[in-house]
Amino acid sequence: MRKAERARRPPAGRYGLRSRGLRFLRQQRRVVARLVLWSLLETAQTFLMGYALARALDEGFLRGRTGTGLGWLGVAALAVAVGAYGTGRVYGAVAALVEPLRDRLVQRVVARGVREAEGGSLSALTQQVEIARDTFAGVVMVSRSFVFTAAGALIGLGSLAPPLLLVVVPPLVVGVGLFAASMRPLAHRQEVFLVADERLADRLGDICAGLRDVTAAGAEERVAADAGERIAAELGAARSLARWAVPRVASVAVGGQLPVVLLLLTAPWLLRSGVTPGALVGALAYVTQSLLPALQNLVHGMGASGSRLAVVLRRLVPAGPVAVDGSGPHPRPAHTPAGAPALTLSGLTFAYGPTCAPVVEGLTLSLPPGSRLAVVGPSGIGKSTLVSLAAGLLEPQYGAIRLCGHPVPGDTAHAHRVVIPQEAYVFSGTFAENLGCLRPDPVPEAELLAAAEAVGLAPLLARHGGPGGLVDPAALSAGERQLIALTRAWLSYACVALLDEATCHLDPEAEERAERAFAARAGTTLVVVAHRIASARRADRVLVMDGRSCAYGTHAELLECSSLYRDLVGSWSATGSGPSQPALALRDADGVDAVAGSGLAGDGRHVVAHGSVGQVQAAGDLRDGRPLRGE
């Protein structure tokens, strides 16, 4: 059984949730405007329902004008048909408003799950996001329906006879106010109930998985007592939540049913005040057929869906800045302390298991802002692990990591860096959506084109119709996908770019162009896991990883002091796509060069690549023809 409860994310502040909701609605203002326009048809339907009925009685049937009465009833029937048409279009507008919210929530959940390996991400993605989408749609429908229905009914009451408003409006306002006052405590108690239910479910899952251990340890009574406490806590939360159903029922009774009673009680006074019988019947129709159903839908819909939506959104949209690497919006980085290095590693040690040998051990490194670092080493030595540690995707066993003065992992540090992996992620959509997905707001087209030109994506972008062209990931080569990912990172606000062999599918010219674009980007620090000698030569500093030992310095310095780096340079030069570039002399006791020149014994005067000293098999390999160490 687990010894500690699962850590839970603190709920977002009420102000933060409200402000984000208002910002979302402002961004969807065109959809909101379309929703309002179609809802006006329902307002007309509500208005004409009571008004036409009153005119049918006063000007038609009560005066013996059957045709006039039927005509006004026909107008009411036509209004119902027009309102039904508007309602159908309302559903389309609501869908256009709801789906972007769902997409954003999915993006946040996936990004947080990838970044933090959060255990609840699967539940959030498969259940809570769908709950948020459905409840948001329900909240929009019932709140919109109440607002426009109440507006149509009140306008109709005022047009029939102003005294009717004196009877209907006060109890309606009191009922709506009572319901609004109960919303916050209702949402709080629903969240308390949900948390209690989760705690009980977690503990029961632990108990069921460890029943044999519980019995073997003789801890049945202790475990039963603990489970009983959680059951009692959930029962208390459920009872508290149930008690808040009373204000909901009272608000419907006061705001929707009391006006009917008041209209009947004040009917003699209303008739003496000049209200016609038809107007009185129309007022009853407004209350019973429009206001009462709309208020009931509002109370029951918002009471259940509204509070549930608030709870789910607090869990899906955490408070504070949201930092997302590579799969969602990336905020502007927070302030960087003056003089802080771009990347600092202090005594960094990491192993993939308690019994495994450390991949990185005691590494200390400081990288100034605006510099370029190339990380090299044999395959599988831990270069990608080091990038993951610097990005905060892995946590070290010992040591500390700081990005621009901010501790890693951490949301503030995440906002300062962007990671481009070897296998770039590209999704179906437009080029503009792919390139701008690390920015919280749409990127201007001119900026997209400038970034594409700088990184080298412009030809591909032009072939597909520009930023608005569609991306088919399956139709792109690995190099083309890497160019898209590199341009996306270039457009982000991050000031530290971590390229984990992100140019391995590009030719040397395209690789050089992309790296120089990041180097020319203002205030950018570049860390490259290099796979070509050219990347190491372009870097300000090179980090050579060799198991537990590492070497750090310039290209020239490492050629002097690191045999592994000389060996890597020789291997790169001999197998590169361009002509070989002989390295400097090894200057070891045997005088073996990393790239052999002509004149070696038995080589037929040809230039051949020479292996490492341990791979030498034949005697007389040296330029003077003598044996190697007596062999």
Side-chain angles (χ1 to χ4, degrees):
M1 295 176 61
R2 291 194 299 268
K3 297 182 179 180
E5 293 294 331
R6 183 180 63 187
R8 288 180 170 79
R9 184 178 304 277
R14 189 173 62 255
Y15 175 77
L17 189 61
R18 184 186 300 118
S19 62
R20 293 181 186 185
L22 293 176
R23 184 167 63 250
F24 172 76
L25 292 178
R26 285 196 299 269
Q27 293 171 351
Q28 304 294 325
R29 54 185 173 273
R30 292 185 178 180
V31 178
V32 174
R34 191 165 74 247
L35 180 63
V36 170
L37 290 176
W38 288 120
S39 298
L40 289 175
L41 291 179
E42 291 187 350
T43 302
Q45 171 194 347
T46 303
F47 170 79
L48 288 174
M49 178 182 294
Y51 188 84
L53 180 60
R55 291 293 177 263
L57 289 173
D58 290 337
E59 299 178 5
F61 299 119
L62 293 180
R63 295 188 179 184
R65 301 173 182 175
T66 305
T68 301
L70 293 175
W72 277 109
L73 292 180
V75 171
L78 180 62
V80 172
V82 172
Y85 178 80
T87 301
R89 297 300 179 270
V90 161
Y91 280 98
V94 170
L97 184 64
V98 169
E99 291 307 317
L101 175 68
R102 177 186 179 276
D103 294 343
R104 294 192 182 191
L105 293 177
V106 167
Q107 190 178 59
R108 288 180 180 272
V109 170
V110 171
R112 197 168 68 232
V114 171
R115 186 183 72 236
E116 301 176 5
E118 189 174 81
S121 296
L122 180 61
S123 173
L125 183 63
T126 57
Q127 298 184 31
Q128 297 181 31
V129 168
E130 296 305 316
I131 291 174
R133 181 183 68 167
D134 295 341
T135 54
F136 179 62
V139 167
V140 171
M141 287 297 294
V142 298
S143 58
R144 175 208 59 86
S145 176
F146 176 78
V147 169
F148 287 94
T149 299
L154 295 178
I155 293 172
L157 287 171
S159 63
L160 291 178
L164 294 172
L165 294 173
L166 299 176
V167 179
V168 175
V169 171
L172 177 64
V173 171
V174 172
V176 174
L178 180 62
F179 168 69
S182 67
M183 281 294 295
R184 282 182 55 189
L186 179 64
H188 172 69
R189 280 157 179 79
Q190 189 155 2
E191 185 167 14
V192 170
F193 172 76
L194 182 60
V195 171
D197 183 69
E198 288 182 348
R199 288 166 57 87
L200 177 60
D202 286 349
R203 182 47 53 94
L204 291 179
D206 293 340
I207 292 173
C208 291
L211 282 176
R212 184 178 60 182
D213 296 336
V214 170
T215 303
E220 295 95 333
E221 294 184 0
R222 180 177 177 181
V223 171
D226 181 70
E229 291 178 1
R230 295 174 186 267
I231 293 173
E234 182 174 359
L235 177 62
R239 287 176 173 172
S240 178
L241 180 63
R243 283 194 291 269
W244 279 93
V246 176
R248 293 165 54 187
V249 175
S251 62
V252 173
V254 173
Q257 296 172 343
L258 183 58
V260 177
V261 177
L262 293 178
L263 283 173
L264 295 176
L265 291 176
T266 60
W269 172 77
L270 291 172
L271 293 174
R272 288 195 302 269
S273 301
V275 177
T276 63
L280 185 58
V281 173
L284 289 170
Y286 278 133
V287 174
T288 58
Q289 301 301 314
S290 298
L291 288 177
L292 179 57
L295 183 60
Q296 287 176 331
N297 291 335
L298 178 71
V299 170
H300 295 297
M302 289 289 289
S305 300
S307 56
R308 182 183 302 176
L309 177 63
V311 171
V312 172
L313 287 181
R314 287 193 187 110
R315 291 171 172 268
L316 294 178
V317 184
V322 181
V324 181
D325 27 285
S327 54
H330 205 301
R332 289 185 181 274
H335 174 69
T336 300
L343 175 63
T344 303
L345 309 178
S346 303
L348 191 65
T349 298
F350 175 82
Y352 282 99
T355 60
C356 298
V359 180
V360 180
E361 186 173 14
L363 178 60
T364 298
L365 176 70
S366 181
L367 194 62
S371 58
R372 285 181 286 174
L373 173 69
V375 182
V376 302
S379 178
I381 202 66
K383 301 184 295 294
S384 296
T385 300
L386 180 62
V387 170
S388 298
L389 288 166
L393 304 177
L394 296 175
E395 293 190 30
Q397 276 78 26
Y398 305 102
I401 308 170
R402 300 186 77 86
L403 264 173
C404 301
H406 303 283
V408 177
D411 286 339
T412 306
H414 284 143
H416 284 79
R417 57 93 175 127
V418 61
V419 184
I420 307 95
Q422 181 176 351
E423 297 299 329
Y425 174 70
V426 177
F427 56 87
S428 298
T430 66
F431 275 88
E433 291 169 341
N434 271 274
L435 298 178
C437 68
L438 297 187
R439 294 270 286 269
D441 301 315
V443 181
E445 183 172 335
E447 191 175 351
L448 287 174
L449 295 175
E453 181 64 30
V455 178
L457 182 68
L460 177 66
L461 199 62
R463 289 198 304 270
H464 288 79
L470 295 178
V471 175
D472 181 6
L476 298 175
S477 68
E480 290 170 335
R481 290 195 294 271
Q482 281 190 333
L483 282 175
I484 293 175
L486 288 165
T487 308
R488 175 193 300 157
W490 198 92
L491 283 166
S492 75
Y493 292 134
C495 54
V496 177
L498 305 172
L499 276 61
D500 186 8
E501 295 198 31
T503 59
C504 62
H505 298 298
L506 303 180
D507 58 42
E509 291 77 12
E511 177 187 61
E512 180 178 1
R513 180 171 183 171
E515 289 186 10
R516 291 193 183 279
F518 277 93
R521 184 172 175 258
T524 299
T525 301
L526 186 61
V527 178
V528 181
V529 175
H531 63 284
R532 289 190 180 102
I533 185 175
S535 293
R537 288 184 181 275
R538 285 191 293 267
D540 302 323
R541 292 288 188 274
V542 180
L543 175 66
V544 184
M545 299 188 66
D546 185 16
R548 297 184 179 184
S549 62
C550 295
Y552 177 70
T554 65
H555 173 73
E557 291 170 349
L558 292 174
L559 285 175
E560 293 286 340
C561 66
S562 174
S563 59
L564 174 60
Y565 186 65
R566 290 193 298 267
D567 192 42
L568 290 171
V569 169
S571 176
W572 276 332
S573 300
T575 61
S577 58
S580 297
Q581 300 175 353
L584 300 180
L586 290 176
R587 300 184 181 181
D588 60 8
D590 295 311
V592 180
D593 291 342
V595 176
S598 60
L600 299 184
D603 71 350
R605 309 297 296 178
H606 298 296
V607 177
V608 295
H610 197 287
S612 64
V613 173
Q615 295 172 331
V616 176
Q617 297 178 355
D621 275 351
L622 304 185
R623 296 184 188 277
D624 57 5
R626 62 182 174 82
L628 178 63
R629 294 180 182 175
E631 296 179 6

Short mmCIF file of all heavy atoms in Angstrom, two decimals, residues 105 107 116 140 146 191 196 202 235 288-289 357 364 367 381 391 394 433 440 443 471 503 510 535 562 568 620:
data_model
loop_
_atom_site.label_atom_id
_atom_site.label_comp_id
_atom_site.label_asym_id
_atom_site.label_seq_id
_atom_site.Cartn_x
_atom_site.Cartn_y
_atom_site.Cartn_z
N LEU A 105 -8.60 22.41 -23.87
CA LEU A 105 -8.44 21.60 -22.67
C LEU A 105 -7.65 20.33 -22.98
O LEU A 105 -6.78 19.92 -22.19
CB LEU A 105 -9.81 21.24 -22.10
CG LEU A 105 -10.63 22.41 -21.53
CD1 LEU A 105 -11.99 21.93 -21.07
CD2 LEU A 105 -9.90 23.09 -20.38
N GLN A 107 -5.44 19.99 -25.29
CA GLN A 107 -4.05 20.42 -25.49
C GLN A 107 -3.34 20.62 -24.16
O GLN A 107 -2.20 20.19 -23.98
CB GLN A 107 -4.05 21.72 -26.30
CG GLN A 107 -2.69 22.16 -26.79
CD GLN A 107 -2.77 23.42 -27.62
OE1 GLN A 107 -3.24 24.46 -27.14
NE2 GLN A 107 -2.32 23.36 -28.85
N GLU A 116 4.94 16.49 -17.26
CA GLU A 116 5.07 16.17 -15.85
C GLU A 116 4.77 14.70 -15.55
O GLU A 116 4.83 14.29 -14.41
CB GLU A 116 4.13 17.05 -15.02
CG GLU A 116 4.40 18.54 -15.19
CD GLU A 116 3.41 19.39 -14.43
OE1 GLU A 116 2.58 18.81 -13.70
OE2 GLU A 116 3.45 20.61 -14.56
N VAL A 140 -24.25 26.99 -21.45
CA VAL A 140 -24.52 28.00 -22.48
C VAL A 140 -25.98 27.94 -22.92
O VAL A 140 -26.65 28.98 -23.06
CB VAL A 140 -23.59 27.78 -23.69
CG1 VAL A 140 -24.00 28.67 -24.87
CG2 VAL A 140 -22.15 28.09 -23.30
N PHE A 146 -32.58 31.30 -20.78
CA PHE A 146 -33.24 32.09 -19.75
C PHE A 146 -33.16 33.58 -20.05
O PHE A 146 -34.14 34.31 -19.91
CB PHE A 146 -32.62 31.80 -18.38
CG PHE A 146 -33.18 32.65 -17.29
CD1 PHE A 146 -34.41 32.35 -16.73
CD2 PHE A 146 -32.49 33.76 -16.82
CE1 PHE A 146 -34.95 33.15 -15.72
CE2 PHE A 146 -33.02 34.56 -15.82
CZ PHE A 146 -34.26 34.25 -15.27
N GLU A 191 -17.28 20.25 -4.93
CA GLU A 191 -15.86 19.93 -5.04
C GLU A 191 -15.39 19.14 -3.83
O GLU A 191 -14.60 18.21 -3.96
CB GLU A 191 -15.05 21.22 -5.18
CG GLU A 191 -13.58 20.97 -5.43
CD GLU A 191 -12.85 22.22 -5.89
OE1 GLU A 191 -13.42 23.32 -5.77
OE2 GLU A 191 -11.71 22.08 -6.36
N ALA A 196 -13.61 13.97 -1.64
CA ALA A 196 -13.84 12.88 -0.69
C ALA A 196 -14.06 11.57 -1.42
O ALA A 196 -13.58 10.51 -1.00
CB ALA A 196 -15.04 13.21 0.20
N ASP A 202 -9.31 5.96 -3.97
CA ASP A 202 -7.88 5.65 -3.91
C ASP A 202 -7.57 4.66 -2.78
O ASP A 202 -6.83 3.69 -2.98
CB ASP A 202 -7.08 6.94 -3.69
CG ASP A 202 -7.01 7.79 -4.94
OD1 ASP A 202 -7.41 7.29 -6.01
OD2 ASP A 202 -6.59 8.96 -4.84
N LEU A 235 -19.85 10.63 3.22
CA LEU A 235 -21.26 10.73 3.60
C LEU A 235 -21.60 12.13 4.08
O LEU A 235 -22.63 12.71 3.71
CB LEU A 235 -21.57 9.70 4.70
CG LEU A 235 -23.00 9.72 5.25
CD1 LEU A 235 -24.00 9.40 4.13
CD2 LEU A 235 -23.14 8.72 6.39
N THR A 288 -46.30 30.98 -17.20
CA THR A 288 -46.36 29.51 -17.14
C THR A 288 -45.66 28.84 -18.31
O THR A 288 -45.08 27.75 -18.15
CB THR A 288 -47.83 29.06 -17.10
OG1 THR A 288 -48.52 29.56 -18.28
CG2 THR A 288 -48.52 29.57 -15.85
N GLN A 289 -45.69 29.45 -19.50
CA GLN A 289 -45.12 28.80 -20.68
C GLN A 289 -43.70 29.25 -21.01
O GLN A 289 -43.03 28.60 -21.82
CB GLN A 289 -46.03 29.07 -21.89
CG GLN A 289 -47.45 28.58 -21.73
CD GLN A 289 -47.52 27.08 -21.47
OE1 GLN A 289 -46.86 26.29 -22.14
NE2 GLN A 289 -48.31 26.68 -20.49
N ALA A 357 24.41 2.06 -13.02
CA ALA A 357 25.54 3.00 -13.03
C ALA A 357 25.05 4.36 -13.48
O ALA A 357 24.21 4.46 -14.38
CB ALA A 357 26.63 2.49 -13.96
N THR A 364 29.32 19.53 -13.46
CA THR A 364 29.15 20.95 -13.15
C THR A 364 29.48 21.76 -14.39
O THR A 364 30.54 21.56 -15.01
CB THR A 364 30.05 21.37 -11.99
OG1 THR A 364 29.67 20.63 -10.82
CG2 THR A 364 29.91 22.87 -11.70
N LEU A 367 26.77 27.91 -18.54
CA LEU A 367 26.71 28.35 -19.93
C LEU A 367 26.19 29.78 -19.97
O LEU A 367 25.06 30.04 -19.55
CB LEU A 367 25.80 27.42 -20.72
CG LEU A 367 25.86 27.48 -22.25
CD1 LEU A 367 27.24 27.09 -22.74
CD2 LEU A 367 24.81 26.54 -22.85
N ILE A 381 25.72 7.19 -24.74
CA ILE A 381 26.52 7.63 -23.61
C ILE A 381 25.73 8.52 -22.65
O ILE A 381 26.14 8.75 -21.52
CB ILE A 381 27.79 8.36 -24.10
CG1 ILE A 381 28.88 8.34 -23.02
CG2 ILE A 381 27.46 9.78 -24.50
CD1 ILE A 381 29.39 6.97 -22.72
N ALA A 391 16.00 20.11 -19.65
CA ALA A 391 14.65 20.55 -19.99
C ALA A 391 13.67 20.34 -18.85
O ALA A 391 12.55 20.85 -18.89
CB ALA A 391 14.15 19.81 -21.23
N LEU A 394 13.39 14.99 -16.92
CA LEU A 394 13.89 14.03 -15.96
C LEU A 394 14.40 14.79 -14.74
O LEU A 394 14.85 15.94 -14.87
CB LEU A 394 15.02 13.18 -16.55
CG LEU A 394 14.67 12.27 -17.73
CD1 LEU A 394 15.94 11.61 -18.27
CD2 LEU A 394 13.65 11.21 -17.34
N GLU A 433 -0.91 26.87 -38.14
CA GLU A 433 -1.24 26.23 -36.86
C GLU A 433 -0.06 25.42 -36.33
O GLU A 433 0.20 25.41 -35.13
CB GLU A 433 -2.46 25.33 -37.05
CG GLU A 433 -3.75 26.09 -37.32
CD GLU A 433 -4.88 25.20 -37.76
OE1 GLU A 433 -4.61 24.06 -38.20
OE2 GLU A 433 -6.05 25.65 -37.70
N PRO A 440 0.87 31.60 -27.45
CA PRO A 440 -0.50 31.63 -26.93
C PRO A 440 -1.47 32.34 -27.86
O PRO A 440 -2.68 32.09 -27.80
CB PRO A 440 -0.36 32.37 -25.60
CG PRO A 440 0.89 33.19 -25.75
CD PRO A 440 1.80 32.40 -26.63
N VAL A 443 0.16 33.96 -34.63
CA VAL A 443 1.38 34.63 -35.08
C VAL A 443 1.09 35.37 -36.38
O VAL A 443 0.51 34.78 -37.30
CB VAL A 443 2.52 33.62 -35.29
CG1 VAL A 443 3.79 34.32 -35.73
CG2 VAL A 443 2.75 32.81 -34.03
N VAL A 471 -1.12 20.72 -43.97
CA VAL A 471 0.00 19.83 -43.67
C VAL A 471 -0.52 18.40 -43.59
O VAL A 471 -1.45 18.11 -42.84
CB VAL A 471 0.68 20.22 -42.34
CG1 VAL A 471 1.77 19.21 -41.99
CG2 VAL A 471 1.26 21.61 -42.43
N THR A 503 18.61 18.01 -36.17
CA THR A 503 18.95 18.25 -37.58
C THR A 503 19.55 17.01 -38.23
O THR A 503 20.18 17.11 -39.27
CB THR A 503 19.95 19.42 -37.68
OG1 THR A 503 21.13 19.10 -36.94
CG2 THR A 503 19.34 20.70 -37.15
N ALA A 510 21.60 22.55 -44.95
CA ALA A 510 20.36 22.89 -44.24
C ALA A 510 20.59 22.92 -42.74
O ALA A 510 20.04 23.77 -42.02
CB ALA A 510 19.26 21.89 -44.59
N SER A 535 28.94 20.97 -36.62
CA SER A 535 28.20 21.54 -35.48
C SER A 535 29.14 21.84 -34.33
O SER A 535 29.01 22.85 -33.64
CB SER A 535 27.10 20.57 -35.03
OG SER A 535 26.10 20.45 -36.02
N SER A 562 41.68 15.86 -25.32
CA SER A 562 40.71 14.76 -25.23
C SER A 562 40.93 13.76 -26.35
O SER A 562 40.67 14.06 -27.53
CB SER A 562 39.28 15.30 -25.28
OG SER A 562 38.35 14.25 -25.34
N LEU A 568 36.46 10.95 -32.14
CA LEU A 568 35.17 11.28 -32.74
C LEU A 568 35.34 12.17 -33.96
O LEU A 568 34.68 11.98 -34.98
CB LEU A 568 34.29 11.98 -31.70
CG LEU A 568 33.77 11.11 -30.55
CD1 LEU A 568 33.11 11.99 -29.48
CD2 LEU A 568 32.78 10.08 -31.05
N GLY A 620 54.05 -2.72 -38.14
CA GLY A 620 54.60 -1.85 -39.15
C GLY A 620 53.62 -0.83 -39.67
O GLY A 620 53.75 -0.36 -40.80
#
